[in-house]
Amino acid sequence: MSDSPSLRDRYFSLIDEIVQTTLKGKIRSKQQVYQMLAQGVSAGTGEIFEQALSDRISATQSEIDNTKDELKQAKATRSLRAMQTIQGEWERYQAENRVSSVITAATNAIANAETNNRLQALLQAIDPNQAQALNLDQIQQLAKALLQQAQTISDTETTRELQQLSEGLTEGLQSWQRLQEHLVSWIYDRSRPMLGFEGAPEQRGPWALWASQVNSPFPKALFQTLALNHSITELAAKQRLELNEFVQLAVILQCLQRGLVNWFDKLVYDPKVGAKLSISTFLTFAVIWSLLANGFQSNSRDRLTSGCFQITLQILRTFAQQKYFPLYGGIFASFSGDFLRSALNYLDEPLRRVEGTQEKARILTLIGYSVAAVGQYQQAHNFHQQALEIARTAADVPCEIANLNHISRICVAQKNYTEAINYSQRALILSRQTGERIGEANALANLGYSEVLQAQQLERVEPEVYEMAIGYLQQGLQLSERLGDSYGTESVLQQSKALCCSSLGIAYIILSQPQAAIPYLEIGWQAAQMSGDLYLQGLNLSYLAEANYNLQQIEKAIFMGSLGMYLLEQINSPQWRQAAGLMTILRGQIGTEAFEKALKQYRAQIIPIIGVDGYDYIPQLLVKYQNG
């Protein structure tokens, strides 16, 4: 500290020298100013230089404001402009030095890591959640730094791995350059009519197009697998990837995911669609990496498995920070196909490696909902309970309320209606205290739904009991409708609306009022489609089938029941069997020929939703149900 005054004086002299040299016309570019700063300012003394520059700027501005001599004022103005140039170049120098320091630190961390941890260190360096996240140019700089570091190391194995990591980064960036112009072109291709990542082989989504644009074998094979809706896990299990191939894929998928999200987030002409597609993008890429992990794990590729989990977690942590993160949604949103079946078993693995943070609470909430949808209620309860505790610690009130609501719904599924009412009441009180309206709408739906089921369980027949419960359900629906369609929350609002409507519809079915149930269930189905929640779509359709069956609307019951059965089975929800049971009864009552005729009658309405393959799979599902 004793050197600070003399150092400050030296920096005053440096500033004055640059200003005078500029005024004399000897400095002709900003780069010259940059070089003088780089040579004149010692490492670790930037704050002293910044203070000296600030003092000079303030003094010069004061001279301009207070002098009446026009010549002195003009000279001071020129000096101030020179100082502003110094300030701009100093900021550039600082920014570049920070990046250089980050790249140097990352290179050293990767080089010094144990062999089994070297890939993990690289993935951490390119993690977009880092405070100083690297852009593509800086990732290229990292690749060069790793290659240079490799040339200074005597250990052959370390040298080889650093070269592979460098090669993977470079090849990934080169592949991205080829893919970049095709990032969203598939959206405008009329031969690919559906927007999203689900659908019939070679017809929807970007995968086939991207496969045609990459030269590297594994990325091409992965995109082709996705296009054909084949198993990612099986693909990964057959691979013996080198480090450079894995890193290349990591760069390609990261660039694609971030590029799509950035593009969708900027759909200002229709932000509702943009938010939904961004959600779908985050979930799609998280699932891809989790399924790759599954495949590598079966092949005992521990390092690659760990890398997949690490990338999955990075994606989910970025997602959890977005304003449209679905606290009432699931990981299966906007997806279909066999390749989802085992994803949920692996998505929770990365979270075991993360301390309690707000992001972790939100990710656990997402996974808890997903696990509950496939009937794993105790596991889902554990996820939500853990998320609830973390959310309280992090003061994330919307997340806390969401988990109270989710636990209430799980209690309903477990027929523990007293606890369901308890949790929904707690959610209702907290949401009203804090003004969390989405949470309040869900709490009202859960409270009314729980009370209807409890009254039925207790065989209570007093009309006022059901009237009060129905009143809660209707309040929840009205509130979800009043919330409107504010940007970034439309998917969540539609999901809340779908839940409220399905709860009302199911309540009316329980009360043997199918005619009253149908309008709510139809609105619930439409809202679930808009939110992309396959579970709520399937649930509403299944109960619509039951309501129409009770009214002897047999063809409609077959149409809706078959769709509901298919969607629920696709996400591995055990509730598909409820719809399949009803379809089996109907086929037995009217005969196989009449059943198939009724199904064919709705073929044109079914195919846009689940594709030709899905339509053809419906009879196979009934066989699967009958075979147990």
Side-chain angles (χ1 to χ4, degrees):
M1 295 296 294
S2 59
D3 292 336
S4 294
S6 59
L7 190 58
R8 189 161 51 247
D9 290 342
R10 181 158 69 85
Y11 287 154
F12 279 140
S13 298
L14 174 63
I15 293 164
D16 293 342
E17 179 188 355
I18 296 174
V19 169
Q20 292 305 315
T21 309
T22 300
L23 294 180
K24 290 176 182 178
K26 294 182 179 180
I27 291 181
R28 301 182 182 278
S29 70
K30 291 181 179 180
Q31 186 60 30
Q32 289 177 274
V33 175
Y34 182 97
Q35 291 171 349
M36 291 181 74
L37 292 173
Q39 295 169 2
V41 180
S42 303
T45 63
E47 290 185 10
I48 298 173
F49 174 79
E50 287 171 7
Q51 187 58 56
L53 180 60
S54 177
D55 290 347
R56 276 289 190 262
I57 289 174
S58 296
T60 306
Q61 185 64 59
S62 177
E63 184 179 354
I64 293 170
D65 294 340
N66 296 320
T67 187
K68 296 182 180 178
D69 188 315
E70 291 185 1
L71 288 176
K72 288 182 178 180
Q73 192 176 59
K75 183 179 179 181
T77 300
R78 291 197 300 274
S79 297
L80 181 62
R81 282 200 295 267
M83 290 178 201
Q84 288 169 342
T85 298
I86 294 172
Q87 190 174 48
E89 291 307 295
W90 172 250
E91 289 173 358
R92 181 164 74 93
Y93 174 76
Q94 287 287 81
E96 291 183 3
N97 264 345
R98 280 195 295 271
V99 171
S100 178
S101 298
V102 168
I103 290 173
T104 300
T107 303
N108 291 333
I110 295 165
N112 295 328
E114 297 290 335
T115 298
N116 290 337
N117 296 329
R118 197 160 283 137
L119 176 61
Q120 180 182 359
L122 174 73
L123 295 176
Q124 184 174 348
I126 63 173
D127 182 359
N129 296 292
Q130 294 277 16
Q132 181 74 41
L134 300 181
N135 60 32
L136 298 185
D137 288 337
Q138 292 157 1
I139 290 175
Q140 186 63 67
Q141 292 176 39
L142 175 61
K144 292 178 181 177
L146 287 171
L147 194 58
Q148 291 170 355
Q149 185 84 342
Q151 296 168 356
T152 67
I153 295 173
S154 58
D155 180 67
T156 305
E157 180 63 22
T158 302
T159 298
R160 188 179 70 84
E161 289 202 345
L162 292 181
Q163 289 172 340
Q164 284 188 325
L165 295 175
S166 173
E167 184 181 336
L169 292 175
T170 300
E171 290 174 344
L173 292 171
Q174 290 172 349
S175 295
W176 164 240
Q177 288 178 345
R178 288 191 292 272
L179 286 168
Q180 192 168 9
E181 62 182 286
H182 304 284
L183 177 67
V184 294
S185 62
W186 52 276
I187 292 175
Y188 304 103
D189 187 345
R190 292 185 180 179
S191 69
R192 306 171 193 274
M194 297 299 291
L195 209 60
F197 300 99
E198 76 284 8
E202 302 289 358
Q203 290 182 5
R204 304 177 188 174
W207 311 116
L209 174 63
W210 292 346
S212 69
Q213 299 301 319
V214 293
N215 298 325
S216 301
F218 187 64
K220 180 182 287 288
L222 176 62
F223 293 147
Q224 288 172 340
T225 298
L226 286 160
L228 294 168
N229 203 22
H230 290 168
S231 172
I232 296 173
T233 298
E234 291 179 10
L235 172 71
K238 298 174 183 176
Q239 302 298 315
R240 302 295 298 179
L241 293 188
E242 295 293 336
L243 274 181
N244 61 302
E245 295 173 297
F246 184 91
V247 172
Q248 180 188 15
L249 181 68
V251 173
I252 291 171
L253 292 186
Q254 185 186 96
C255 289
L256 287 170
Q257 174 226 311
R258 292 171 71 179
L260 285 172
V261 169
N262 289 337
W263 196 84
F264 291 143
D265 283 351
K266 293 174 182 176
L267 288 181
V268 292
Y269 64 87
D270 197 343
K272 294 181 289 186
V273 171
K276 178 182 175 182
L277 291 173
S278 292
I279 291 169
S280 180
T281 302
F282 276 116
L283 295 177
T284 297
F285 284 85
V287 167
I288 289 171
W289 281 110
S290 70
L291 292 171
L292 286 170
N294 186 4
F296 292 132
Q297 190 171 52
S298 69
N299 205 12
S300 299
R301 302 299 302 274
D302 294 341
R303 184 153 55 158
L304 300 189
T305 300
S306 179
C308 291
F309 285 147
Q310 188 175 351
I311 296 170
T312 301
L313 179 58
Q314 290 173 2
I315 293 169
L316 293 177
R317 293 188 79 164
T318 304
F319 184 29
Q321 298 168 37
Q322 309 307 311
K323 59 186 176 182
Y324 45 69
F325 182 82
L327 284 170
Y328 294 91
I331 202 71
F332 45 79
S334 298
F335 303 112
S336 62
D338 291 341
F339 73 91
L340 287 179
R341 295 198 180 281
S342 58
L344 295 177
N345 296 327
Y346 294 89
L347 277 178
D348 64 302
E349 173 63 25
L351 296 174
R352 298 176 191 173
R353 313 175 190 194
V354 179
E355 298 301 320
T357 64
Q358 180 177 347
E359 289 86 359
K360 181 174 181 178
R362 290 181 167 237
I363 297 166
L364 285 168
T365 306
L366 182 81
I367 295 175
Y369 179 89
S370 308
V371 171
V374 299
Q376 299 175 17
Y377 299 123
Q378 190 54 54
Q379 188 181 7
H381 191 285
N382 294 340
F383 282 134
H384 287 305
Q385 192 63 50
Q386 189 179 355
L388 180 62
E389 293 167 5
I390 297 171
R392 282 175 180 158
T393 302
D396 187 346
V397 176
C399 186
E400 180 181 353
I401 294 168
N403 281 283
L404 289 170
N405 276 319
H406 287 308
I407 294 173
S408 171
R409 207 74 180 183
I410 292 169
C411 290
V412 166
Q414 296 174 320
K415 300 186 177 0
N416 188 349
Y417 303 126
T418 301
E419 278 297 288
I421 291 169
N422 175 35
Y423 277 103
S424 61
Q425 287 176 333
R426 289 164 60 186
L428 184 59
I429 291 168
L430 184 56
S431 61
R432 285 179 169 171
Q433 286 175 341
T434 57
E436 177 56 34
R437 308 305 296 281
I438 294 174
E440 182 182 354
N442 279 272
L444 285 165
N446 288 333
L447 179 58
Y449 188 52
S450 304
E451 290 197 345
V452 167
L453 291 169
Q454 184 184 58
Q456 185 196 35
Q457 183 186 55
L458 299 174
E459 298 182 350
R460 298 184 64 179
V461 295
E462 304 94 320
E464 59 270 17
V465 173
Y466 292 101
E467 287 172 6
M468 182 178 293
I470 293 294
Y472 287 134
L473 287 163
Q474 289 175 334
Q475 285 179 50
L477 176 58
Q478 290 165 6
L479 178 56
S480 67
E481 289 175 332
R482 285 202 306 271
L483 289 174
D485 55 355
S486 57
Y487 170 65
T489 59
E490 175 65 12
S491 291
V492 175
L493 293 174
Q494 290 297 336
Q495 199 162 38
S496 296
K497 184 176 180 180
L499 178 63
C500 291
C501 286
S502 67
S503 300
L504 259 169
I506 295 168
Y508 277 120
I509 288 176
I510 291 169
L511 298 176
S512 301
Q513 298 179 40
Q515 194 68 59
I518 286 175
Y520 291 112
L521 292 169
E522 286 178 339
I523 295 171
W525 175 31
Q526 293 167 5
Q529 284 180 299
M530 292 183 68
S531 73
D533 190 319
L534 289 182
Y535 174 66
L536 286 180
Q537 288 183 53
L539 191 67
N540 279 281
L541 284 163
S542 295
Y543 280 100
L544 271 168
E546 187 172 334
N548 279 285
Y549 172 66
N550 291 334
L551 294 170
Q552 291 302 298
Q553 300 287 335
I554 303 302
E555 289 81 6
K556 281 187 178 179
I558 291 171
F559 161 56
M560 292 172 174
S562 297
L563 264 183
M565 172 182 68
Y566 175 85
L567 293 175
L568 291 170
E569 194 269 347
Q570 285 295 288
I571 62 168
N572 212 24
S573 171
Q575 289 181 273
W576 78 271
R577 301 189 68 84
Q578 178 180 332
L582 178 59
M583 294 302 97
T584 302
I585 291 170
L586 280 171
R587 189 172 63 175
Q589 288 178 348
I590 67 174
T592 301
E593 186 178 345
F595 183 90
E596 291 176 353
K597 182 180 178 181
L599 193 61
K600 189 174 182 180
Q601 179 182 331
Y602 285 95
R603 186 177 187 275
Q605 292 168 255
I606 292 174
I607 288 175
I609 301 172
I610 63 174
V612 176
D613 289 348
Y615 176 83
D616 291 340
Y617 187 50
I618 289 171
Q620 297 175 45
L621 273 180
L622 294 178
V623 173
K624 179 180 176 180
Y625 170 76
Q626 288 180 308
N627 292 337

